[in-house]
Amino acid sequence: MEQTQPKLGLESQQCVEVRLPPKKVPTPQLLSNIPLLYSFLYATVQDWKRVSAPYQYEIDQAPPDDHVTAARAFMELQPDFLRYLFSYCFFFVSAENAFRSLHDELKDVAGTLGLHAPDPPAATAYVRKVRTIRNMSIAHMPSNRGRPIMRTAAMDWQPLT
């Protein structure tokens, strides 16, 4: 009979090895980047507020019948608005995917240990709207997920002028 050496000097304790299916384990960078993705989201919102604040102040100070101030703000803020909108959508969806991967990993660990893990929460209307913006916008144009005509339109896109 073959003798085995105790693992890690734990003669009186059993060692349990937990193995997760390789297809469900996210890369460590994905999980460790959740705080970084959050900081990108926060910075994007703060940058938009900073850029748009002077225009909002002018609109608030303008007479009620002055539509020129709002129209000028709309035209001048288009590049910034689109840049921040697409950045926010990109980082939002990235963070959501990171949390989904984390949930999948926790669900696999729970299953391995014989525990039940609840399903992730259903996507809210806000989450669905952000995904739609990402999927239908120039921010997603290199993808093959949209219809060919949508990809072509995104590549030929011009600001709203």
Side-chain angles (χ1 to χ4, degrees):
M1 183 169 164
E2 185 178 307
Q3 288 185 329
T4 59
Q5 295 292 324
K7 294 180 182 179
L8 304 173
L10 303 173
E11 294 85 12
S12 63
Q13 297 181 6
Q14 281 188 321
C15 292
V16 176
E17 185 175 342
V18 176
R19 292 186 184 212
L20 299 176
K23 65 180 173 122
K24 293 278 188 168
V25 179
T27 59
Q29 296 86 0
L30 181 67
L31 298 178
S32 63
N33 283 338
I34 289 174
L36 183 62
L37 290 168
Y38 174 80
S39 68
F40 287 155
L41 285 170
Y42 182 80
T44 300
V45 170
Q46 296 308 309
D47 287 347
W48 168 248
K49 288 179 179 179
R50 179 184 46 77
V51 167
S52 63
Y55 292 95
Q56 186 62 54
Y57 178 78
E58 287 181 27
I59 291 169
D60 292 343
Q61 299 303 313
D65 60 342
D66 177 15
H67 303 292
V68 174
T69 302
R72 184 179 59 79
F74 178 77
M75 295 302 292
E76 291 178 8
L77 284 172
Q78 278 185 47
D80 290 316
F81 173 73
L82 294 173
R83 180 178 45 158
Y84 293 127
L85 175 66
F86 295 152
S87 294
Y88 182 86
C89 290
F90 173 77
F91 291 122
F92 183 92
V93 171
S94 297
E96 182 196 19
N97 290 340
F99 279 113
R100 293 246 178 232
S101 295
L102 177 60
H103 180 271
D104 289 347
E105 183 175 339
L106 292 174
K107 193 170 184 174
D108 286 343
V109 169
T112 302
L113 298 174
L115 303 172
H116 172 73
D119 291 333
T124 63
Y126 181 80
V127 171
R128 289 191 303 273
K129 188 169 289 218
V130 171
R131 286 181 192 157
T132 300
I133 293 169
R134 190 271 320 256
N135 291 342
M136 304 287 290
S137 68
I138 194 168
H140 205 59
M141 75 176 175
S143 169
N144 60 0
R145 290 180 64 179
R147 296 182 309 200
I149 194 163
M150 296 301 283
R151 291 194 309 269
T152 301
M155 292 172 73
D156 291 338
W157 174 85
Q158 295 285 325
L160 307 171
T161 57

